[in-house]
Amino acid sequence: MARYSGNIDVYLTSNWERTWILNGHTKGVYVTICKYSPNGDRIVSVGRDYTVRVWEVATGDCLYIFLSHSNPVNGVAYSPQGNVIALIKSDGTVRLWDLEAGDCRSIASRGSRINSMSFSPKGDTIALGCDDHRVRLWDVGSGEFRSILVGHTKAVLAIAYSAQGDLLISKDYYYEVRVWEVETGACRHIIRGDACAEDIYSVAYSPQGDRIVTGGRDKAVRLWDVETGECHQTMSGHTWYVNKILYSPKGDYIASVSDDGTMRLWNVGSGSSRKISISHSGLVLGLKYSSKRNQVASCSSDRTIRLWDAEIGICSRTLTGHWGSVKAVSYSPQEDRLVSCSGDKTMRLWDVESGACRHILSGHTNDVVDVAFSPQGDQIASASRDKAVRLWNAETGECQHVLAGHRDQVWVVIYSPHGNQVASAGKDGTVRLWDVDTGDCQHTLTGHSGIIQNIAYSSNGNQIASASYDKTVRLWDVEIGVCSHILIGHQSSVTRVVYSPRGDQIASASYDDKTVRLWDTESGECCHTLTGHEKEIYAIAYSPRGNLIASWSDYEEGRLWDVATGDCVWSLNHDGPIQYFGEYVSDSFVWMSADVDSFITGGKSGSVTKWDVIKEGDQYRVRMRWKSINGQLALKGACVQDVQGLSDINKRLLKQRGATGEPSVRLREASKKVMTMASVVSKLKSSSSNTEAPDSPSVSPAISFTEHSEQRSEQEMGEGILEN
C-alpha cells in the first residue's frame, strides 16, 4: 500500500499485519505505483521523486534504484520471468530495464504517446495502449511491432492479457472496453459504460481468463463472461466510484479500491465483501465527543464521518452520503443524533445508534462550513459561504428561517447557552445576534477591521468573545450589543478564542505569532502569555476542570499548560502537517469528560489519537492511549500475560497492536490493564461479528499496531543504481 508520506506499507492478508514499512523514496513525496514481481518476492515502486525502486519482500531491503531524472514514470510492469521491468515515462516512451544486466533500452510507438502496457504471459510480446486510439503489439526479441489493433475512438488508457495470452482487453478514454483475439487481431466483444449504466474506470482479467471484472462510476464491481460478453454478477457495497480492481492469484477473491476511502475484498462465489480500510483517507476537519456514549465523532475531507469507541479506539461505524468534504459535526444534547455539514451544500441528520440518515437538509447555495444543535435539541443552525445562516427544525428537517444580513461568507455559528439566540460571524468582520423564534437580527456587532475567525459565548450567555484577523479579541455585552473590552497584545491574526469552564477567563491563540494568551474577562487584562510553539497554532481548549489548557499547532506540535502559572507542563513534536483546509481552520481537538483527563486529536493523515493526561505529584505526564491511522490501531500500556480467556491467536493479535507479552509490574498492580485487555477482546469480537466477511481464512479486524520502521541509508539499501 503506497502512502503520501513516501513510505510503502506491506501487509499479510491472512491477518492484515503490517510486516514492513519500506523507506527510501523522498519523505513527503507521493508513491504513485506499487507492483509485485510475478513470484511475489519483490516489489517495484514509483515515486514523484523521479525514482523507481525494487524491494526485497522478505527483508524489506531496496535492491535497485532507477533514476528517472526530469521525466516522471507513469506506469510500470514486470516481465513474467521477473528479470525485466518496463517503465512508461511521461514523454510517452517505454523503457525496458534489465535488472540482471543493468542495461536499459527504449520503445517508441511511432509518434504516438504510450499510456499503458502489458507483458504477454510468455514475455515475448508487450501490448501498448496509445494516444492515437490504437493497441500495438511489440515483439521483445526483434524489437519490431507485430500488429496494430484498430477500433477505439479515443486514447487507450488500460490494457491486459488473459492468462493464456490468446485474448487482450483494452479500455479507452470514453470508458469503452474491447476484448481482442491476439492471433487474428479481431475484436470479439465491446463493453461500453452504458452497458452498466455508468463509466468504467478499471478492468482486469481473472487468472483463468474466462472472466473480466470492471469497476467504475456506478460504484459497483461487475463480472463479465469473456465468451458471451454478458454481465453475470454485480457486487455492490462501495458508496463512491470504484477506481481500481485486482484479482487474487487463485481468482477466488477480488480487491477493489474506491473514492469512498475504502478497499473491499470480495468473495467471487458469494459476492459478499469485507471492508478493509476503516480510517479516514483525508485530513480530519472536526471532532466532537459524546460523554453519554463515550464516543468520538470525526469528520474528514474524505467525505465521511466516523464514530470511534473512545475507550479503545475501534471505529464502530462509518457514515457515508456526502459527496463533498465534511466540514463539521455536532451531537444533539441527548447525543442520539448527529448533524454534519459539507462542501456539497447540504447537511445530514444521522441516527447515532443505527447510522441511518434521517434527513438531508438542502437550501444553501454554497459550502456549508459550520453547524450546531440548539441546547434543547429541537433546532439546528448552519453557516455557509453563501452569506446566510439557516435555522432548521431538527425533527422534520424543514428550514424555519433564512437569516440574511452578512455581506460575505459566514464561517461560524453558535447557540447561546439558553438557546434563545444564535450568533454568527465571518469574512465581513461583524458578529450578528439573531432571535431563534422570529429570525430577526437583534444586534450587529461592528468594530473589527478584519475577518472574524472564531466566536464564543460565556457560560452564562451574557458575553461574547470574537477573534479577528485585525490581531485583537473583543468582548461584547450581549444585552446591549456594545464592546466592553478590546484585548490587544497578539502580533498577528487571532484565530481561536475559548472561555474557561468558570467563565472568568478566556484564552486566545494567534496563527502566526505562535502564542496563546490568557485574559481576565472582567478587567480585560492579560494574565499570561504562553510562548514556546515553533509552528502556527491551530487549536486551543481548556480541560473540563479548567486547570489545564492544551494548544495544538501545525506539524502536530502539542503543548499542555498550567492555567494558574502559565508554565508548559508537557510538549510533543511530530513530523508532518496536522491540518489546514481552504480558507478556514477547523478544530480537530476535543477534551473528554470532566471525570477523566484525556483528549482526542485529529490529523492530516486521517489519524485520530487519544491521549491520557496523568498527574504525578506536581508534574504531568501525557501518554498516547491509542492511535488509528490508515485503518490501523496502536494500543499501548497493556499486558497479555496471565490474562484469562485469551487464546494464543488472540494474544498474538493484541501484541501486534502494541500490547506487551511480559508485565512491567506485578499482576495485582496491573489489574486495570488486564480489564482493558478484556474490553479490547470484547470489542474485537463485536467488531468482527458486525462485519460482513467472505468465506476466507480468519482476518483480524482492521485495527493494527504501532508503526515500526527501520531507517536505512541509501548505501545500505541500494545494491545497484541505474540512471537514465
Side-chain angles (χ1 to χ4, degrees):
M1 180 181 293
R3 296 197 286 159
Y4 293 160
S5 63
N7 297 334
I8 302 160
D9 296 337
V10 183
Y11 294 86
L12 289 175
T13 56
S14 59
N15 58 8
W16 295 105
E17 176 185 351
R18 178 167 43 193
T19 57
W20 291 108
I21 300 175
L22 307 181
N23 306 100
H25 287 288
T26 302
K27 188 174 183 180
V29 172
Y30 293 176
V31 177
T32 55
I33 301 172
C34 281
K35 286 191 177 181
Y36 275 97
S37 62
N39 60 9
D41 62 341
R42 292 178 179 180
I43 293 172
V44 60
S45 63
V46 178
R48 291 282 178 87
D49 57 0
Y50 299 104
T51 68
V52 179
R53 293 171 181 263
V54 178
W55 311 82
E56 187 173 35
V57 173
T59 64
D61 292 332
C62 181
L63 303 178
Y64 305 100
I65 303 174
F66 178 92
L67 302 181
S68 180
H69 293 305
S70 59
N71 289 319
V73 175
N74 296 334
V76 64
Y78 258 107
S79 67
Q81 296 76 25
N83 62 325
V84 175
I85 293 176
L87 309 171
I88 301 178
K89 305 201 72 177
S90 62
D91 59 5
T93 63
V94 170
R95 305 284 179 93
L96 297 184
W97 178 17
D98 190 310
L99 298 179
E100 296 175 356
D103 60 2
C104 186
R105 57 175 171 153
S106 298
I107 305 173
S109 62
R110 297 178 182 173
S112 180
R113 181 187 182 90
I114 300 171
N115 299 315
S116 56
M117 63 185 171
S118 177
F119 276 96
S120 66
K122 294 181 180 180
D124 57 347
T125 305
I126 299 177
L128 306 172
C130 303
D131 250 4
D132 63 359
H133 319 165
R134 289 168 168 78
V135 175
R136 289 177 166 83
L137 304 185
W138 189 78
D139 188 280
V140 175
S142 66
E144 299 293 333
F145 286 102
R146 292 174 46 188
S147 59
I148 299 176
L149 312 182
V150 180
H152 285 290
T153 58
K154 288 294 177 181
V156 180
L157 303 181
I159 200 163
Y161 273 97
S162 66
Q164 295 74 23
D166 58 335
L167 297 176
L168 186 73
I169 54 172
S170 57
K171 180 183 77 72
D172 67 19
Y173 182 78
Y174 271 178
Y175 315 106
E176 180 182 271
V177 175
R178 287 179 174 252
V179 181
W180 306 88
E181 294 180 359
V182 173
E183 187 65 30
T184 65
C187 179
R188 180 180 290 187
H189 300 295
I190 300 175
I191 302 172
R192 292 188 173 89
D194 54 10
C196 55
E198 296 284 356
D199 300 331
I200 297 170
Y201 291 162
S202 183
V203 60
Y205 256 114
S206 67
Q208 296 78 18
D210 58 341
R211 294 178 180 179
I212 295 171
V213 61
T214 62
R217 191 180 178 90
D218 66 352
K219 311 169 192 175
V221 175
R222 296 175 183 268
L223 289 176
W224 306 80
D225 186 278
V226 171
E227 290 298 324
T228 65
E230 295 179 353
C231 177
H232 64 81
Q233 188 174 1
T234 300
M235 296 176 283
S236 301
H238 283 297
T239 59
W240 208 245
Y241 306 157
V242 179
N243 51 48
K244 187 65 177 177
I245 292 286
L246 291 171
Y247 254 107
S248 66
K250 294 181 180 179
D252 50 351
Y253 291 102
I254 294 169
S256 59
V257 179
S258 168
D259 282 345
D260 64 10
T262 68
M263 180 172 74
R264 285 181 176 264
L265 188 65
W266 304 86
N267 184 303
V268 174
S270 66
S272 60
S273 71
R274 175 182 175 82
K275 188 191 298 182
I276 295 170
S277 301
I278 63 168
S279 73
H280 288 297
S281 59
L283 71 161
V284 178
L285 296 175
L287 296 169
K288 286 293 186 292
Y289 175 68
S290 165
S291 59
K292 294 179 181 178
R293 294 176 176 272
N294 197 23
Q295 183 183 80
V296 176
S298 60
C299 61
S300 169
S301 60
D302 68 2
R303 304 186 295 267
T304 69
I305 302 106
R306 301 185 188 270
L307 306 181
W308 305 87
D309 184 302
E311 178 62 27
I312 59 173
I314 289 177
C315 179
S316 58
R317 194 175 297 280
T318 301
L319 310 180
T320 60
H322 284 294
W323 55 266
S325 297
V326 184
K327 313 287 190 179
V329 290
S330 178
Y331 278 102
S332 66
Q334 299 78 20
E335 299 178 8
D336 59 339
R337 291 171 295 169
L338 187 77
V339 64
S340 58
C341 64
S342 169
D344 63 10
K345 308 175 188 177
T346 71
M347 289 140 294
R348 287 180 177 252
L349 187 60
W350 309 88
D351 183 280
V352 175
E353 189 66 33
S354 66
C357 179
R358 291 187 177 182
H359 298 292
I360 300 176
L361 313 182
S362 302
H364 283 293
T365 58
N366 207 328
D367 297 4
V368 186
V369 296
D370 199 17
V371 67
F373 256 106
S374 68
Q376 295 76 25
D378 59 342
Q379 193 179 69
I380 295 168
S382 58
S384 171
R385 297 185 191 274
D386 66 5
K387 308 178 187 179
V389 174
R390 286 178 177 253
L391 303 181
W392 310 80
N393 186 302
E395 290 300 322
T396 65
E398 296 179 354
C399 182
Q400 297 173 320
H401 298 289
V402 179
L403 312 181
H406 282 287
R407 299 185 304 276
D408 211 326
Q409 299 175 8
V410 187
W411 284 3
V412 59
V413 62
I414 56 174
Y415 276 93
S416 65
H418 305 300
N420 61 327
Q421 190 179 72
V422 162
S424 59
K427 288 189 73 173
D428 67 0
T430 68
V431 180
R432 289 180 176 260
L433 308 182
W434 310 86
D435 185 287
V436 299
D437 293 324
T438 65
D440 295 335
C441 182
Q442 298 171 322
H443 297 291
T444 300
L445 312 182
T446 61
H448 281 298
S449 59
I451 293 169
I452 297 176
Q453 179 73 63
N454 196 219
I455 55 176
Y457 271 102
S458 62
S459 56
N460 59 15
N462 295 332
Q463 192 179 70
I464 283 181
S466 56
S468 172
Y469 283 14
D470 65 8
K471 308 178 186 179
T472 70
V473 175
R474 287 180 178 248
L475 304 183
W476 308 85
D477 186 299
V478 171
E479 184 65 29
I480 59 177
V482 299
C483 178
S484 58
H485 294 291
I486 303 175
L487 311 183
I488 300 174
H490 284 293
Q491 302 303 305
S492 187
S493 301
V494 186
T495 53
R496 278 287 176 266
V497 62
V498 291
Y499 276 90
S500 66
R502 290 198 303 251
D504 59 339
Q505 188 182 79
I506 65 167
S508 60
S510 171
Y511 174 81
D512 282 328
D513 77 8
K514 305 166 190 173
T515 67
V516 178
R517 289 178 177 260
L518 307 183
W519 311 83
D520 184 278
T521 56
E522 288 295 325
S523 65
E525 294 181 357
C526 182
C527 308
H528 297 291
T529 300
L530 313 181
T531 61
H533 275 285
E534 298 178 0
K535 302 298 180 181
E536 295 80 359
I537 300 173
Y538 279 127
I540 56 172
Y542 281 95
S543 65
R545 296 189 182 99
N547 60 321
L548 299 171
I549 189 166
S551 55
W552 218 257
S553 78
D554 201 9
Y555 300 93
E556 287 194 0
E557 181 194 18
R559 288 179 177 263
L560 199 62
W561 311 84
D562 186 294
V563 170
T565 65
D567 294 334
C568 179
V569 296
W570 172 80
S571 64
L572 172 74
N573 290 282
H574 279 310
D575 292 331
I578 174 173
Q579 53 182 337
Y580 183 76
F581 192 78
E583 299 177 11
Y584 73 101
V585 178
S586 59
D587 190 3
S588 293
F589 185 102
V590 62
W591 282 90
M592 294 175 63
S593 57
D595 58 347
V596 59
D597 278 331
S598 297
F599 57 88
I600 311 286
T601 61
K604 183 176 181 179
S605 63
S607 65
V608 177
T609 309
K610 179 182 177 181
W611 308 86
D612 288 337
V613 181
I614 304 163
K615 188 173 184 182
E616 298 173 339
D618 295 332
Q619 303 297 317
Y620 287 91
R621 181 167 57 91
V622 179
R623 69 174 184 180
M624 185 185 76
R625 170 66 67 85
W626 50 258
K627 181 173 183 177
S628 174
I629 181 167
N630 293 328
Q632 301 129 44
L633 174 73
L635 182 68
K636 292 188 175 182
C639 174
V640 299
Q641 188 182 58
D642 298 328
V643 178
Q644 299 297 316
L646 288 183
S647 66
D648 289 339
I649 293 178
N650 280 333
K651 288 183 180 180
R652 289 198 299 270
L653 173 66
L654 293 167
K655 286 164 73 174
Q656 289 169 8
R657 280 127 178 98
T660 60
E662 298 291 334
S664 58
V665 294
R666 296 182 63 85
L667 187 60
R668 64 174 179 269
E669 298 171 350
S671 59
K672 289 185 178 180
K673 293 183 179 182
V674 173
M675 293 301 294
T676 298
M677 296 313 303
S679 174
V680 172
V681 173
S682 173
K683 293 294 183 180
L684 288 174
K685 291 178 179 178
S686 174
S687 175
S688 178
S689 63
N690 290 334
T691 305
E692 186 180 12
D695 298 328
S696 62
S698 176
V699 178
S700 65
I703 56 172
S704 198
F705 36 81
T706 312
E707 293 187 9
H708 297 284
S709 60
E710 298 179 336
Q711 300 295 328
R712 300 180 175 87
S713 67
E714 293 288 353
Q715 290 79 11
E716 292 173 323
M717 293 170 61
E719 292 184 1
I721 298 179
L722 179 65
E723 297 190 19
N724 200 4

